[in-house]
Amino acid sequence: MAKRIGILTSGGDCSGLNSAIRAITLHAIQHYGWEVFGILKGTSGLIRRPMEYTQLTLQNCDSSMLRSAGTILGSTTKENPFFFPSEDGSKTDRSDDAIMGYRELKLDAIIAIGGDGSMRINSRLAKKGGINLVCIPKTIDNDLAQTDYSIGYHTAITVATEAMDRLQPTAASHNRVMVLEVMGRDAGHIALVSGIAGGADVILIPEIPYKIESICNHIKNINKAGRSFALITVSEAIKTEEGGQVLRGKSLNDRPRYGGVSQYLCNQLEEFLNADTRATVLGHVQRGGQPTAQDRILATAFGVKAVDMIAEQDFGKMVAWRNNEVVAVPIDSTIATYNGVNPNGVLIKTAKAMGIYVGEV
Ligand code: F6P
């Protein structure tokens, strides 16, 4: 009998989500003859009454979706079904409504595209309600364990590298130290990769401590060697030298909102190096723009595999990219650990070999 499957996107958006939605829809309809429903705003679409969803077809999932950022289904970072915000500001457990929504829609399975936070919530919901769940990893931070890459990461590092390309000429023209602050939360992948690709002199990531004195000495040596400008890439979640965290408050989901540590660094360099500095906080532009070819391919391969897993009744798993293969791994094994930068890994060695200061390693 033809299956009915749902797709939802939850957590922060990124480039490549629509490519995955398109791939799932095309493969499910063309190969299996199933019906596909897009659930709007994560699990919230299953909770609200009337339910918020849309049927996805070959007509409304054309190739323009490969090229577009964001998610046509919408997403949320604050509507956790277990702590769902009510109009009076209180939070209630609406997980039973989400489970009921799954049954009312007569779904055979759901493909949830999300990061670690969403995966935890969706997995808990699936276990509670007997929902057949397959997850697809997405996050610009690339911090999900068990997969080499998550959707959105390639586009983010491309955007961050391009920002470095744009900062270098202005740094050189004005003899300045330009500091680029990139996203990534507690993982330094975006800073490390865009820093190497963008010719940074200093890369600071949360996984490796640093000393302001070492940065100053490094830049002095660059100046002595005849270059009067420098480029620094810094992860948003690095701490100050004293161990403090620079925050812009909290998000509606109570997670710390990073942003601004690049200005702290500039202030330190102005004080101890007497350098002319400027800070650029790249922010959410890293999550937008056309997905790169790699993200489109990753999202498409993930979408195809997720549909095949439903056909094989292989549930409770996440698709993962490993050694140029797409494989299925248990969701529990993914959310149990965390993929940060390995301070002894090849990229740190590469950066050091290029003469980049990457902290005290
Ligand atoms: O996890 C993805 C991410 O973009 C982080 O890199 C960043 O710290 C955070 O989300 C920003 O979240 P928000 O969109 O809620 O400000």
Side-chain angles (χ1 to χ4, degrees):
M1 225 174 83
K3 287 189 193 303
R4 291 162 63 92
I5 66 166
I7 311 175
L8 61 85
T9 48
S10 55
D13 74 325
C14 64
S15 279
L17 296 174
N18 288 332
S19 314
I21 296 166
R22 169 183 176 264
I24 294 166
T25 306
L26 262 58
H27 193 45
I29 295 175
Q30 292 177 165
H31 190 76
Y32 293 105
W34 297 345
E35 284 185 289
V36 185
F37 298 89
I39 298 155
L40 305 185
K41 297 200 193 90
T43 48
S44 304
L46 292 175
I47 292 173
R48 296 214 163 84
R49 295 294 179 274
M51 274 191 285
E52 294 175 1
Y53 65 92
T54 182
Q55 182 151 15
L56 298 172
T57 63
L58 299 180
Q59 287 68 41
N60 63 21
C61 286
D62 65 28
S63 64
S64 64
M65 283 176 66
L66 267 177
R67 291 171 245 286
S68 60
T71 162
I72 59 157
L73 301 179
S75 191
T76 176
T77 52
K78 55 180 195 288
E79 294 186 342
N80 178 339
F82 295 94
F83 302 96
F84 199 79
S86 309
E87 269 172 25
D88 65 3
S90 63
K91 295 200 175 166
T92 48
D93 184 350
R94 301 282 305 274
S95 55
D96 285 337
D97 291 324
I99 293 163
M100 211 152 10
Y102 173 80
R103 305 226 181 290
E104 277 173 31
L105 262 183
K106 297 189 171 39
L107 295 178
D108 294 290
I110 285 183
I111 298 176
I113 312 172
D116 59 342
S118 325
M119 228 167 271
R120 259 184 209 102
I121 294 167
N122 292 327
S123 167
R124 185 176 164 196
L125 190 68
K127 283 179 186 163
K128 181 177 178 191
I131 293 173
N132 294 326
L133 177 70
V134 173
C135 288
I136 294 182
K138 69 87 213 167
T139 167
I140 64 164
D141 307 339
N142 210 36
D143 57 357
L144 270 162
Q146 306 286 4
T147 182
D148 295 344
Y149 299 114
S150 295
I151 295 172
Y153 172 64
H154 277 117
T155 306
I157 58 177
T158 304
V159 171
T161 303
E162 191 187 312
M164 291 291 282
D165 294 347
R166 288 168 193 261
L167 287 175
Q168 190 271 336
T170 176
S173 303
H174 290 272
N175 298 336
R176 280 177 175 159
V177 178
M178 301 297 266
V179 182
L180 176 69
E181 177 177 328
V182 297
M183 284 184 163
R185 299 198 72 85
D186 302 314
H189 299 291
I190 300 178
L192 180 58
V193 169
S194 62
I196 297 172
D201 301 295
V202 174
I203 300 172
L204 303 181
I205 59 174
E207 293 87 344
I208 302 178
Y210 64 91
K211 287 191 181 144
I212 295 288
E213 192 188 357
S214 305
I215 300 173
C216 292
N217 289 338
H218 189 65
I219 294 176
K220 275 183 201 155
N221 288 337
I222 289 170
N223 294 157
K224 269 190 215 144
R227 175 152 58 83
S228 52
F229 71 92
L231 293 172
I232 299 181
T233 315
V234 55
S235 280
E236 61 180 358
I238 63 156
K239 294 195 164 68
T240 64
E241 206 179 18
E242 298 76 33
Q245 197 91 67
V246 180
L247 294 176
R248 284 183 172 157
K250 278 189 178 176
S251 303
L252 289 172
N253 61 1
D254 282 341
R255 290 217 303 181
R257 280 181 62 204
Y258 297 113
V261 74
S262 49
Q263 190 55 54
Y264 155 81
L265 200 64
C266 285
N267 296 345
Q268 297 295 301
L269 297 184
E270 297 216 346
E271 188 176 338
F272 297 109
L273 192 64
N274 199 23
D276 189 17
T277 67
R278 293 291 185 276
T280 301
V281 182
L282 200 51
H284 289 78
V285 296
Q286 292 158 98
R287 299 212 316 222
Q290 286 195 325
T292 59
Q294 289 103 311
D295 262 332
R296 299 181 200 192
I297 299 299
L298 187 73
T300 304
F302 277 171
V304 168
K305 176 74 175 176
V307 170
D308 288 341
M309 283 162 65
I310 293 177
E312 291 154 13
Q313 310 224 12
D314 195 9
F315 300 122
K317 300 221 176 123
M318 177 189 90
V319 300
W321 186 270
R322 283 204 202 151
N323 304 321
N324 277 333
E325 292 288 342
V326 183
V327 296
V329 297
I331 296 169
D332 288 344
S333 72
T334 307
I335 55 187
T337 48
Y338 172 74
N339 172 37
V341 169
N342 175 3
N344 302 310
V346 64
L347 288 183
I348 293 292
K349 282 187 192 139
T350 304
K352 284 168 77 175
M354 289 296 99
I356 303 170
Y357 174 77
V358 285
E360 303 295 310
V361 274

